[in-house]
Amino acid sequence: MNEALPDVPEVRVVGLPQLTSGFDLVERLDLPMHLKVHGPLEPMGGEQLAKLAENINLKGRGGAGFPFHKKLRSVAESAIKRGVRPVVVVNGSEDEPACRKDTVLINRAPHLILDGALLCAEALGARTLVVGVTRESTQRSMEAALAERGLSNSRRSALRAFVQRNPVRMVTGAAASLIRSIDGGPAIPPGRKVSASQNGVGGAPTLLSNAETFAQLAIAARIGPERYGNTGLYDEPGTVMLTVSGAVARPMVIEVPTGVPLRYVLQLAGAPPVPQGVLTGGYHGKWIDAATVNEAIVSRNSLDAVGGSLGAGAILPITQETCPLGESLRVAQWLAEESAGQCGPCYLGLPAAARGLEEILNGGGPAALEALKQVAKNVKRRGACSHPDGSAMFLESTIKAFTDDLAAHVLGNGCGRPVEGVLPLFEGGRAPTGIPGGESEENGPSRQKIYVDWTLCRGHGLCADILPEVFQLGADGFPTVAQAKVPRYAEAKALRAVRRCPALALRIEEDTRAQDSSRSNLPVLSQGRGRRALGRGN
């Protein structure tokens, strides 16, 4: 079984180091050593900084890849229009078990990240800087870095700066989750999609980007766009930080120029010469097969072109000796557990998808495959954050990449290979902390269950409109659950759904039994099997 990665694994570099400069000298670059290695940094005006980011084609390194110059200009324009001071937020929340690049940078080069963030704060006229982290090691390193610069959260400070520590959960890393936690709420998405550039921390325009993104900006500001562009590809200049794990002899974080062949990166980490497949971009990423690995180079465009994803910079090969569907099932089950439990696509859809993949492995046949495809389709673009979208993309990629194994499981008796557990997860397969937000009144355990009376249900669909956290409609138009727990915060909406159901097919009962922490036992009706005896959906 693959053990969990340490916070700071081995670090390597291909070519000349940029972000990792000085790593061969000390374990952590404090401020004096940082200045010796990188030199001083002059402030820049807002438009000058935006042009720099545009000239080097800097895109967010947290997974989404949004152009940084557009985000910077949007925040500046919104702040000027509204006449308010913006806020700068560094997102160092790295909560995938297979990702460590930002954790390495925060632990070993925190001042490079602060350089980029402070450049932006001064250019924008911001008076607040927040660094979001989830690990004890990153909290200690960044708090020490702020102290070394004389920055604090004092009201008398010209720039208030502090570290926001949140639980280690997949949804914690979402921008909306981090902003909500800074404002004093739980570290989960708020259930509505709002642009941070327009309405972020405290309602102010907020420049929020990934830790590596700010570090890249600091490098470019020091050496200039022309010299920065001498490294890597013309259209994607510079370097990228990758976390390479899975079936490798030496899990590592590696800085490489864009354009390096992916197979060379895998060779450095001691991956199998011919891997069965490589998961690119992390657990919200995509699989590519062994033949495609030889075509791919390390760049966002190249990986997209071959069906992969740069995503969060995680690269995970697996061997020919393991069952790829079984490996993916472990990840799918973990992704389902990472739900914030507040919207239907996560709370119900992801556990259903994991069970669908498990049913395929257990001989469910073509019907199980079609049901899994339908569930994956249903969860996309319907969640409170990107977690269901990324999880569905991972599942769809699994089905597409391993067609031979899929056929063996769907049409035969399975592939006959064991599951080696080479894809890293947290200890026990789950994150080491509880659901973000703790046991507050809003996020505490459910007290109610809602039931569908199939003798009355007539397929009106109003329940799914009022209570999407619980109900979603299957391809045949009726709900995919017969009963489900109601999230504490959604109890009022559940009562409204019961009262407004035209067929009076819903009822609520108090759940007096001990709360089961697992959500895997929710009864989900198989889709596409025409269970007419159960009646029509409401």
Side-chain angles (χ1 to χ4, degrees):
M1 297 290 286
N2 197 310
E3 297 180 358
L5 294 174
D7 279 10
V8 184
E10 177 186 353
V11 179
R12 297 282 298 273
V13 61
V14 174
L16 295 176
Q18 291 188 358
L19 302 178
T20 58
S21 293
F23 281 23
D24 58 334
L25 303 175
V26 291
E27 285 299 308
R28 179 184 180 275
L29 280 74
D30 60 13
L31 185 56
M33 181 58 74
H34 168 74
L35 292 174
K36 286 180 182 178
V37 170
H38 292 285
L41 183 60
E42 297 296 324
M44 302 175 69
E47 184 55 30
Q48 184 183 7
L49 198 60
K51 285 183 178 178
L52 171 66
E54 186 174 9
N55 288 338
I56 65 172
N57 195 21
L58 180 60
K59 295 183 178 180
R61 301 299 176 91
F66 190 80
F68 188 79
H69 70 94
K70 292 184 178 180
K71 189 180 295 186
L72 188 62
R73 288 190 172 108
S74 177
V75 171
E77 291 169 1
S78 180
I80 293 171
K81 183 178 180 180
R82 293 173 54 190
V84 297
R85 296 277 189 181
V87 177
V88 175
V89 176
V90 178
N91 192 349
S93 308
E94 193 170 43
D95 304 315
E96 282 195 49
C99 295
R100 291 295 185 275
K101 67 181 183 69
D102 293 319
T103 302
V104 163
L105 285 175
I106 295 174
N107 272 285
R108 301 197 62 182
H111 288 285
L112 198 60
I113 298 166
L114 286 179
D115 278 347
L118 291 170
L119 270 178
C120 295
E122 185 161 352
L124 291 169
R127 292 293 180 262
T128 304
L129 167 64
V130 187
V131 182
V133 300
T134 55
R135 303 174 187 275
E136 183 180 353
S137 64
T138 50
Q139 180 181 9
R140 284 199 310 266
S141 180
M142 190 54 74
E143 286 180 342
L146 292 177
E148 288 164 5
R149 289 178 179 252
L151 295 171
S152 72
N153 195 24
S154 171
R155 293 182 180 274
R156 295 188 296 272
S157 301
L159 175 69
R160 299 180 62 180
F162 62 93
V163 175
Q164 173 71 27
R165 171 87 180 271
N166 289 326
V168 180
R169 291 297 298 254
M170 188 77 164
V171 294
T172 301
S177 299
L178 179 53
I179 289 172
R180 190 178 184 188
S181 71
I182 295 170
D183 283 339
I188 55 178
R192 62 188 184 281
K193 294 183 179 180
V194 180
S195 170
S197 300
Q198 307 299 318
N199 188 2
V201 175
T206 298
L207 178 69
L208 186 150
S209 200
N210 168 262
E212 185 194 340
T213 313
F214 285 107
Q216 292 283 0
L217 185 67
I219 293 292
R222 278 187 168 88
I223 66 178
E226 183 175 349
R227 185 176 161 195
Y228 187 94
N230 288 337
T231 300
L233 299 170
Y234 173 77
D235 57 342
E236 293 183 51
T239 64
V240 295
M241 297 283 284
L242 303 173
T243 310
V244 187
S245 64
V248 298
R250 300 179 302 278
M252 64 178 60
V253 168
I254 181 168
E255 181 183 13
V256 300
T258 55
V260 168
L262 180 60
R263 64 177 181 274
Y264 179 65
V265 173
L266 294 171
Q267 180 183 348
L268 287 177
V274 184
Q276 181 176 190
V278 177
L279 180 58
T280 60
Y283 295 161
H284 278 176
K286 298 179 180 179
W287 289 99
I288 57 176
D289 59 27
T292 306
V293 170
N294 293 324
E295 305 173 20
I297 62 174
V298 178
S299 85
R300 188 176 301 277
N301 291 337
S302 170
L303 288 171
D304 286 346
V306 298
S309 169
L310 180 61
I315 305 295
L316 301 105
I318 60 172
T319 67
Q320 298 282 352
E321 287 72 40
T322 189
C323 173
L325 300 185
E327 294 288 347
S328 297
L329 174 60
R330 294 176 65 245
V331 175
Q333 290 170 334
W334 179 80
L335 290 169
E337 289 288 347
E338 288 301 287
S339 166
Q342 65 171 1
C343 68
C346 260
Y347 183 70
L348 301 174
L350 296 189
R355 288 195 297 274
L357 183 54
E358 185 175 22
E359 189 174 346
I360 290 173
L361 287 165
N362 291 335
L369 175 59
E370 288 306 313
L372 173 59
K373 289 180 178 179
Q374 188 62 48
V375 171
K377 179 181 178 181
N378 286 344
V379 303
K380 289 191 295 186
R381 295 180 294 278
R382 296 181 59 215
C385 69
S386 61
H387 182 51
D389 292 354
S391 302
M393 182 169 68
F394 167 78
L395 286 164
E396 290 175 335
S397 172
T398 300
I399 294 171
K400 184 178 179 180
F402 302 109
T403 53
D404 290 345
D405 294 88
L406 191 65
H409 283 281
V410 171
L411 302 177
N413 296 319
C415 66
R417 286 173 291 184
V419 178
E420 297 180 341
V422 297
L423 301 181
L425 294 171
F426 292 117
E427 184 179 354
R430 300 183 62 180
T433 57
I435 293 176
E439 292 298 321
S440 66
E441 178 67 20
E442 183 180 84
N443 297 290
S446 171
R447 300 177 299 187
Q448 297 179 345
K449 294 188 75 172
I450 191 165
Y451 296 83
V452 177
D453 185 340
W454 298 110
T455 64
L456 299 175
C457 185
R458 293 295 179 267
H460 296 96
L462 195 62
C463 59
D465 292 334
I466 298 175
L467 197 61
E469 298 87 345
V470 172
F471 292 113
Q472 52 184 306
L473 303 182
D476 45 14
F478 57 78
T480 56
V481 294
Q483 56 178 289
K485 294 178 181 178
V486 178
R488 178 77 68 91
Y489 78 95
E491 289 176 351
K493 290 201 290 183
L495 182 60
R496 187 160 66 250
V498 170
R499 290 173 174 171
R500 295 186 61 183
C501 176
L504 303 179
L506 300 177
R507 76 178 190 278
I508 289 177
E509 293 181 5
E510 290 295 320
D511 189 2
T512 57
R513 296 173 299 174
Q515 299 299 320
D516 184 353
S517 61
S518 171
R519 293 174 183 140
S520 63
N521 295 322
L522 286 174
V524 178
L525 302 180
S526 300
Q527 300 186 39
R529 296 187 181 181
R531 299 182 65 165
R532 305 290 295 184
L534 295 176
R536 294 287 297 169
N538 69 320

